[in-house]
Amino acid sequence: GVTVVAFIESGSAGEQPLSSGPALSGQQLIEDLSGRLERLGAERESGQFSLDMEVYTPVQQQQQQQQPASQQQPQPRTLHVVASSEAPVSSYILPSGSSIEAAAGPLVSADSMFGLLLGQLRALYQAKPGQAVHCRGPKYRLADFTVRLATAVFGQSNSVKGVFVEAEYRPCNRLQFGWPLLKEFFSGVFPDRAFAVEHPNEALQAHLQAQAATGPIDYTYPVTVQQYLLLAYQLGSSRQQMRSAVAPSSAADAAVPVSMQQQQSWGRAPLPGPPSQLIGR
Amino acid sequence: QQQRVPNTEVYLQGSVLKPFTEFLLTRLRGICDSPGDEFRDQESVFTCAVPGLSGTRLRLRWSLLHPHLPAYLRYLGIPESADHRVMSRAAYEVPVFPLDAARQLVESMGFQHEFDFIAEGTVFRRGLLKITVYRVYRPGAHASLAPESSLVEVSGLGPSSLTAGMVESVLSVRDQLKSLVLLAKHDQKAPKA
């Protein structure tokens, strides 16, 4: 069903949470949000929700940069590969640099075997566990809604940078129709985060705009995956601005400054300005 | 869990002349589990444009008869002869969707389109094996590249733990088709565009 994903930074990351409440750590946030859901009568679903966004960078990239511009071949792009417990046999792949606003949606859905195929191309791509994002958390069912909460751990550190909150309205598969109800539900359950659903995010807007060209399209899980990738990207960009000098996370990354690393990994055109007017507020 | 992923293909190839194709198809209908399905697939072959890796290829294959089915992203390794009786190679066939995004993905990975071809014919199943009788066309051509004959392939794609069993099955099929088609290992050279 139609789904919206938002991200709440945890206080332990050193930034001010945007609500007026006290700064909460990632785990405390999960407990706080879970508590709210349970008080509303939500039932905890069995099993854990997990979503991993892995990054694979081209091996040749750094060598290419040393050649004069005239000799450079089209470079292989960094790949983001997402695996989710909600689609256990699938992998979702997004080459970086592609615009999330592209009408056709450049996200590729593939069998989970894709990672093994990439493993055969070891000379071309290497995994970068330091840039991965791992999300884990509980799932709740409340009437026709499912809420998935997940602590987000960036790279190989153990510290939780925040919490992803996903709200799905299961019966509806058309975003235009389900958005108002989804927004109302989210704002009602998480009133201090209502700003996160003031307007549909860029991934949802892209989904709506694609329909302007081709006619109605069902909302499918890849659009949810796009939202996670979008939020992780925005988080990566904002962190990069706040960091002035940070020690590299591993020797292999030391050759390239961290800010350039982030750009190479999530390098995209800046996100556009005003939100879509396709659906009412 | 790794052992259960299909990653190895064992196969034999041969060809059958046009007048004898129908006999072959009849024999195959008799010895196979399925009565034979028509297929018409198009395959795009991409070569790695990154210097130093230019031998590596990726293939994208989709059905022209059933365009709603997912396409397959295929990686085929270099044929080896670990067993002297059959060809074998690493093979990964990953269902991908949608086709145009998959094509963009392959190109984003540093691969350049080399050529396309169309394979049209009949596919049979026998246990884990696949037996195909088909002709190869350039896209847009009326006549196949070899109009007087069809290619015959017996192949099994599975996890390496099942390879030994599949080799025996391939050899068994070879023996049963002996009088109609000579299935053998072939010297693999890179096909010209």
Side-chain angles (χ1 to χ4, degrees):
Chain A
V2 294
T3 303
V4 67
V5 184
F7 183 79
I8 303 173
E9 303 214 25
S10 57
S12 63
E15 292 122 18
Q16 292 304 313
L18 295 165
S19 76
S20 56
L24 294 176
S25 76
Q27 201 47 46
Q28 288 170 325
L29 267 172
I30 293 267
E31 282 164 13
D32 173 59
L33 298 169
S34 300
R36 281 193 233 180
L37 288 165
E38 281 164 4
R39 280 191 294 276
L40 286 167
E43 273 176 28
R44 170 106 187 236
E45 283 196 356
S46 67
Q48 195 188 49
F49 167 58
S50 71
L51 189 130
D52 298 286
M53 295 181 253
E54 303 282 351
V55 173
Y56 292 82
T57 53
V59 167
Q60 298 271 352
Q61 206 174 35
Q62 299 191 9
Q63 293 172 12
Q64 285 273 355
Q65 283 164 358
Q66 286 154 16
Q67 285 178 1
S70 57
Q71 281 179 18
Q72 282 190 8
Q73 316 268 1
Q75 289 197 34
R77 298 220 192 112
T78 297
L79 299 180
H80 301 287
V81 180
V82 182
S84 163
S85 58
E86 308 309 288
V89 200
S90 298
S91 267
Y92 299 97
I93 307 110
L94 183 74
S96 79
S98 34
S99 165
I100 222 168
E101 286 77 27
L107 189 77
V108 175
S109 305
D111 187 280
S112 52
M113 262 172 56
F114 181 81
L116 294 172
L117 187 149
L118 212 51
Q120 290 293 311
L121 302 172
R122 241 167 269 118
L124 187 61
Y125 275 101
Q126 58 187 356
K128 282 287 168 103
Q131 295 174 29
V133 180
H134 301 287
C135 313
R136 300 280 183 277
K139 304 186 266 195
Y140 286 91
R141 182 176 280 240
L142 179 58
D144 289 333
F145 295 89
T146 297
V147 177
R148 297 177 181 87
L149 305 170
T151 54
V153 171
F154 284 66
Q156 289 166 310
S157 69
N158 279 329
S159 66
V160 174
K161 302 300 181 197
V163 167
F164 279 101
V165 181
E166 182 191 317
E168 179 189 359
Y169 178 54
R170 291 189 312 277
C172 178
N173 273 336
R174 288 286 157 82
L175 186 60
Q176 311 80 309
F177 302 126
W179 173 255
L181 185 58
L182 202 52
K183 176 174 160 171
E184 192 184 319
F185 171 79
F186 192 97
S187 323
V189 176
F190 310 110
D192 49 342
R193 304 290 161 182
F195 62 87
V197 293
E198 187 65 35
H199 305 292
N201 57 47
E202 283 84 356
L204 293 177
Q205 283 175 45
H207 176 68
L208 290 169
Q209 280 161 8
Q211 298 184 61
T214 62
I217 307 173
D218 275 355
Y219 183 96
T220 52
Y221 196 66
V223 183
T224 302
V225 171
Q226 290 265 27
Q227 294 187 61
Y228 278 97
L229 286 168
L230 171 76
L231 292 169
Y233 166 74
Q234 289 175 335
L235 199 71
S237 304
S238 66
R239 287 178 170 282
Q240 170 197 325
Q241 283 159 18
M242 283 186 283
R243 270 198 219 107
S244 45
V246 177
S249 54
S250 73
D253 295 339
V256 180
V258 172
S259 57
M260 247 181 87
Q261 255 185 320
Q262 289 280 25
Q263 274 183 9
Q264 284 166 10
S265 163
W266 297 94
R268 290 207 281 114
L271 300 167
S276 165
Q277 297 299 310
L278 281 174
I279 59 182
R281 297 191 179 185
Chain B
Q1 194 199 17
Q2 281 271 46
Q3 288 145 357
R4 301 180 57 191
V5 173
N7 58 10
T8 309
E9 186 179 29
V10 294
Y11 60 102
L12 290 175
Q13 294 170 324
S15 63
V16 64
L17 288 173
K18 209 165 164 183
F20 300 98
T21 310
E22 201 48 50
F23 292 121
L24 176 63
L25 292 173
T26 307
R27 174 78 63 88
L28 284 170
R29 269 178 224 120
I31 68 170
C32 292
D33 304 336
S34 66
D37 299 304
E38 301 302 312
F39 73 90
R40 188 175 157 86
D41 293 346
Q42 183 157 342
E43 186 164 315
S44 288
V45 181
F46 298 83
T47 298
C48 193
V50 172
L53 284 162
S54 53
T56 314
R57 280 191 162 135
L58 279 182
R59 298 150 180 276
L60 201 55
R61 186 166 177 136
W62 66 99
S63 169
L64 295 170
L65 294 180
H66 307 286
H68 59 281
L69 292 179
Y72 282 82
L73 180 63
R74 311 170 72 211
Y75 169 82
L76 300 174
I78 299 165
E80 315 155 345
S81 305
D83 184 318
H84 68 280
R85 302 167 294 173
V86 296
M87 300 298 299
S88 82
R89 60 188 170 191
Y92 288 85
E93 304 214 342
V94 183
V96 293
F97 182 82
L99 177 62
D100 43 354
R103 188 183 295 275
Q104 280 182 48
L105 172 65
V106 174
E107 286 170 351
S108 308
M109 286 168 67
F111 286 80
Q112 272 172 6
H113 179 254
E114 202 184 336
F115 63 92
D116 267 30
F117 68 90
I118 292 176
E120 179 179 326
T122 314
V123 58
F124 298 84
R125 294 215 149 266
R126 181 181 155 94
L128 291 174
L129 299 187
K130 197 170 62 173
I131 301 153
T132 47
V133 180
Y134 65 102
R135 295 165 303 283
V136 176
Y137 297 80
R138 282 191 213 281
H142 287 293
S144 87
L145 289 177
E148 296 308 309
S149 61
S150 294
L151 280 167
V152 184
E153 244 175 48
V154 182
S155 67
L157 172 61
S160 40
S161 51
L162 292 181
T163 300
M166 286 200 292
V167 169
E168 295 309 314
S169 305
V170 167
L171 295 171
S172 163
V173 171
R174 178 198 64 181
D175 295 338
Q176 293 190 53
L177 298 177
K178 233 177 222 167
S179 58
L180 289 169
V181 56
L182 181 63
L183 289 164
K185 296 167 58 169
H186 285 267
D187 201 5
Q188 297 282 327
K189 291 196 173 66
K192 298 280 180 200

